[in-house]
Short mmCIF file of all heavy atoms in Angstrom, two decimals:
data_model
loop_
_atom_site.label_atom_id
_atom_site.label_comp_id
_atom_site.label_asym_id
_atom_site.label_seq_id
_atom_site.Cartn_x
_atom_site.Cartn_y
_atom_site.Cartn_z
N MET A 110 -28.46 2.87 1.40
CA MET A 110 -27.11 2.61 1.91
C MET A 110 -26.42 3.94 2.26
O MET A 110 -26.37 4.86 1.44
CB MET A 110 -26.28 1.88 0.85
CG MET A 110 -24.85 1.57 1.30
SD MET A 110 -23.87 0.86 -0.04
CE MET A 110 -24.68 -0.74 -0.24
N TYR A 112 -22.88 6.00 3.64
CA TYR A 112 -21.42 5.88 3.56
C TYR A 112 -20.79 6.74 4.65
O TYR A 112 -21.30 7.82 4.98
CB TYR A 112 -20.90 6.38 2.21
CG TYR A 112 -21.43 5.63 1.00
CD1 TYR A 112 -22.44 6.19 0.22
CD2 TYR A 112 -20.92 4.39 0.65
CE1 TYR A 112 -22.92 5.52 -0.90
CE2 TYR A 112 -21.39 3.71 -0.46
CZ TYR A 112 -22.40 4.28 -1.23
OH TYR A 112 -22.87 3.61 -2.34
N GLU A 144 -27.13 7.66 0.40
CA GLU A 144 -26.71 6.98 -0.83
C GLU A 144 -26.52 7.95 -2.00
O GLU A 144 -25.91 7.59 -3.01
CB GLU A 144 -27.72 5.91 -1.21
CG GLU A 144 -29.10 6.43 -1.54
CD GLU A 144 -30.04 5.32 -1.99
OE1 GLU A 144 -29.62 4.16 -2.00
OE2 GLU A 144 -31.19 5.64 -2.32
N VAL A 201 -21.38 1.82 5.15
CA VAL A 201 -20.15 1.29 4.55
C VAL A 201 -19.02 2.25 4.90
O VAL A 201 -19.14 3.46 4.75
CB VAL A 201 -20.27 1.17 3.02
CG1 VAL A 201 -18.93 0.74 2.40
CG2 VAL A 201 -21.37 0.18 2.65
N LEU A 203 -15.41 3.92 4.22
CA LEU A 203 -14.46 4.19 3.14
C LEU A 203 -13.28 4.96 3.70
O LEU A 203 -13.43 5.81 4.59
CB LEU A 203 -15.10 5.03 2.02
CG LEU A 203 -16.32 4.49 1.30
CD1 LEU A 203 -17.61 4.94 1.98
CD2 LEU A 203 -16.34 4.95 -0.16
N TYR A 232 -16.40 -2.52 3.79
CA TYR A 232 -15.33 -1.53 3.54
C TYR A 232 -15.11 -1.31 2.05
O TYR A 232 -15.26 -2.23 1.24
CB TYR A 232 -14.02 -2.02 4.17
CG TYR A 232 -12.82 -1.17 3.78
CD1 TYR A 232 -12.66 0.11 4.30
CD2 TYR A 232 -11.88 -1.65 2.86
CE1 TYR A 232 -11.57 0.89 3.93
CE2 TYR A 232 -10.79 -0.86 2.49
CZ TYR A 232 -10.66 0.40 3.02
OH TYR A 232 -9.59 1.18 2.64
N CYS A 233 -14.72 -0.07 1.71
CA CYS A 233 -14.37 0.27 0.34
C CYS A 233 -13.12 1.14 0.34
O CYS A 233 -13.04 2.13 1.08
CB CYS A 233 -15.52 1.01 -0.33
SG CYS A 233 -15.12 1.64 -1.98
N ASP A 234 -12.16 0.77 -0.49
CA ASP A 234 -10.94 1.57 -0.67
C ASP A 234 -11.26 2.66 -1.69
O ASP A 234 -11.31 2.42 -2.90
CB ASP A 234 -9.80 0.68 -1.17
CG ASP A 234 -8.48 1.43 -1.35
OD1 ASP A 234 -8.50 2.68 -1.33
OD2 ASP A 234 -7.45 0.77 -1.53
N LEU A 235 -11.49 3.88 -1.21
CA LEU A 235 -11.89 4.99 -2.07
C LEU A 235 -10.78 5.38 -3.05
O LEU A 235 -11.04 5.78 -4.19
CB LEU A 235 -12.30 6.19 -1.22
CG LEU A 235 -12.85 7.41 -1.97
CD1 LEU A 235 -14.02 7.02 -2.86
CD2 LEU A 235 -13.26 8.49 -0.97
N TYR A 238 -10.96 2.98 -5.96
CA TYR A 238 -12.13 3.29 -6.78
C TYR A 238 -11.87 4.49 -7.69
O TYR A 238 -12.16 4.46 -8.90
CB TYR A 238 -13.34 3.56 -5.89
CG TYR A 238 -14.55 4.06 -6.64
CD1 TYR A 238 -15.40 3.17 -7.31
CD2 TYR A 238 -14.84 5.42 -6.71
CE1 TYR A 238 -16.50 3.62 -8.02
CE2 TYR A 238 -15.94 5.89 -7.41
CZ TYR A 238 -16.77 4.98 -8.06
OH TYR A 238 -17.85 5.45 -8.77
N CYS A 239 -11.31 5.56 -7.12
CA CYS A 239 -11.05 6.78 -7.88
C CYS A 239 -9.97 6.55 -8.95
O CYS A 239 -10.06 7.10 -10.06
CB CYS A 239 -10.63 7.91 -6.95
SG CYS A 239 -11.98 8.53 -5.90
N PHE A 284 -15.06 11.82 -4.37
CA PHE A 284 -16.04 10.73 -4.52
C PHE A 284 -17.26 11.22 -5.29
O PHE A 284 -17.77 10.53 -6.19
CB PHE A 284 -16.42 10.21 -3.14
CG PHE A 284 -17.21 8.93 -3.14
CD1 PHE A 284 -17.12 8.02 -4.18
CD2 PHE A 284 -18.05 8.62 -2.07
CE1 PHE A 284 -17.84 6.83 -4.16
CE2 PHE A 284 -18.78 7.44 -2.05
CZ PHE A 284 -18.67 6.55 -3.10
N LEU A 287 -16.89 11.37 -9.06
CA LEU A 287 -16.72 10.10 -9.76
C LEU A 287 -17.76 9.05 -9.37
O LEU A 287 -17.64 7.89 -9.76
CB LEU A 287 -15.31 9.55 -9.47
CG LEU A 287 -14.14 10.44 -9.90
CD1 LEU A 287 -12.84 9.93 -9.30
CD2 LEU A 287 -14.04 10.51 -11.42
N TYR A 288 -18.76 9.47 -8.62
CA TYR A 288 -19.72 8.51 -8.04
C TYR A 288 -20.59 7.84 -9.10
O TYR A 288 -21.15 8.50 -9.97
CB TYR A 288 -20.60 9.23 -7.03
CG TYR A 288 -21.57 8.34 -6.28
CD1 TYR A 288 -21.13 7.16 -5.68
CD2 TYR A 288 -22.92 8.67 -6.18
CE1 TYR A 288 -22.01 6.35 -4.98
CE2 TYR A 288 -23.80 7.87 -5.48
CZ TYR A 288 -23.35 6.71 -4.88
OH TYR A 288 -24.22 5.91 -4.19
N ASP A 289 -20.68 6.53 -9.00
CA ASP A 289 -21.56 5.72 -9.85
C ASP A 289 -22.15 4.64 -8.95
O ASP A 289 -21.43 3.77 -8.44
CB ASP A 289 -20.77 5.11 -11.01
CG ASP A 289 -21.65 4.36 -12.00
OD1 ASP A 289 -22.45 3.50 -11.56
OD2 ASP A 289 -21.55 4.63 -13.20
N LYS A 290 -23.46 4.69 -8.75
CA LYS A 290 -24.12 3.77 -7.81
C LYS A 290 -23.89 2.31 -8.16
O LYS A 290 -23.77 1.46 -7.27
CB LYS A 290 -25.62 4.06 -7.76
CG LYS A 290 -26.00 5.33 -7.02
CD LYS A 290 -27.51 5.46 -6.94
CE LYS A 290 -27.90 6.74 -6.20
NZ LYS A 290 -29.37 6.89 -6.08
N GLU A 291 -23.83 2.01 -9.44
CA GLU A 291 -23.65 0.62 -9.85
C GLU A 291 -22.19 0.17 -9.70
O GLU A 291 -21.91 -0.92 -9.22
CB GLU A 291 -24.10 0.44 -11.30
CG GLU A 291 -25.61 0.62 -11.48
CD GLU A 291 -26.04 0.34 -12.91
OE1 GLU A 291 -25.19 -0.07 -13.72
OE2 GLU A 291 -27.24 0.52 -13.20
N LYS A 292 -21.26 1.03 -10.09
CA LYS A 292 -19.85 0.66 -10.07
C LYS A 292 -19.30 0.55 -8.65
O LYS A 292 -18.44 -0.29 -8.38
CB LYS A 292 -19.02 1.66 -10.88
CG LYS A 292 -19.25 1.57 -12.37
CD LYS A 292 -18.36 2.55 -13.12
CE LYS A 292 -18.57 2.44 -14.62
NZ LYS A 292 -17.73 3.41 -15.39
N ILE A 293 -19.76 1.40 -7.73
CA ILE A 293 -19.18 1.40 -6.38
C ILE A 293 -19.40 0.07 -5.69
O ILE A 293 -18.58 -0.37 -4.88
CB ILE A 293 -19.76 2.56 -5.53
CG1 ILE A 293 -18.99 2.69 -4.21
CG2 ILE A 293 -21.25 2.37 -5.28
CD1 ILE A 293 -17.53 3.06 -4.37
N GLY A 294 -20.51 -0.61 -6.02
CA GLY A 294 -20.81 -1.89 -5.38
C GLY A 294 -19.74 -2.93 -5.62
O GLY A 294 -19.51 -3.81 -4.78
N LYS A 295 -19.03 -2.83 -6.75
CA LYS A 295 -17.97 -3.80 -7.07
C LYS A 295 -16.74 -3.63 -6.19
O LYS A 295 -15.89 -4.51 -6.13
CB LYS A 295 -17.57 -3.65 -8.54
CG LYS A 295 -18.69 -3.92 -9.52
CD LYS A 295 -18.24 -3.67 -10.95
CE LYS A 295 -19.38 -3.90 -11.94
NZ LYS A 295 -18.97 -3.61 -13.34
N TYR A 296 -16.65 -2.48 -5.51
CA TYR A 296 -15.47 -2.20 -4.69
C TYR A 296 -15.74 -2.36 -3.19
O TYR A 296 -14.83 -2.22 -2.39
CB TYR A 296 -14.98 -0.77 -4.97
CG TYR A 296 -14.43 -0.59 -6.36
CD1 TYR A 296 -15.28 -0.32 -7.44
CD2 TYR A 296 -13.07 -0.73 -6.62
CE1 TYR A 296 -14.79 -0.17 -8.73
CE2 TYR A 296 -12.57 -0.57 -7.90
CZ TYR A 296 -13.44 -0.30 -8.96
OH TYR A 296 -12.94 -0.16 -10.22
N ILE A 297 -16.97 -2.64 -2.84
CA ILE A 297 -17.33 -2.81 -1.42
C ILE A 297 -17.05 -4.26 -1.02
O ILE A 297 -17.51 -5.20 -1.68
CB ILE A 297 -18.80 -2.44 -1.17
CG1 ILE A 297 -19.02 -0.95 -1.46
CG2 ILE A 297 -19.19 -2.76 0.27
CD1 ILE A 297 -20.47 -0.51 -1.40
N ARG A 298 -16.30 -4.43 0.05
CA ARG A 298 -15.90 -5.75 0.51
C ARG A 298 -16.47 -6.06 1.90
O ARG A 298 -16.48 -5.19 2.77
CB ARG A 298 -14.37 -5.86 0.58
CG ARG A 298 -13.68 -5.63 -0.77
CD ARG A 298 -13.85 -6.84 -1.67
NE ARG A 298 -13.21 -6.63 -2.97
CZ ARG A 298 -13.83 -6.21 -4.05
NH1 ARG A 298 -15.13 -5.95 -4.00
NH2 ARG A 298 -13.19 -6.05 -5.18
#
Side-chain angles (χ1 to χ4, degrees):
M110 180 186 292
Y112 300 102
E144 63 177 2
V201 175
L203 301 91
Y232 171 72
C233 174
D234 181 347
L235 184 55
Y238 173 81
C239 290
F284 191 26
L287 301 168
Y288 184 50
D289 185 309
K290 286 185 180 181
E291 293 184 4
K292 289 182 179 179
I293 189 63
K295 298 177 182 178
Y296 293 84
I297 296 173
R298 300 285 180 264

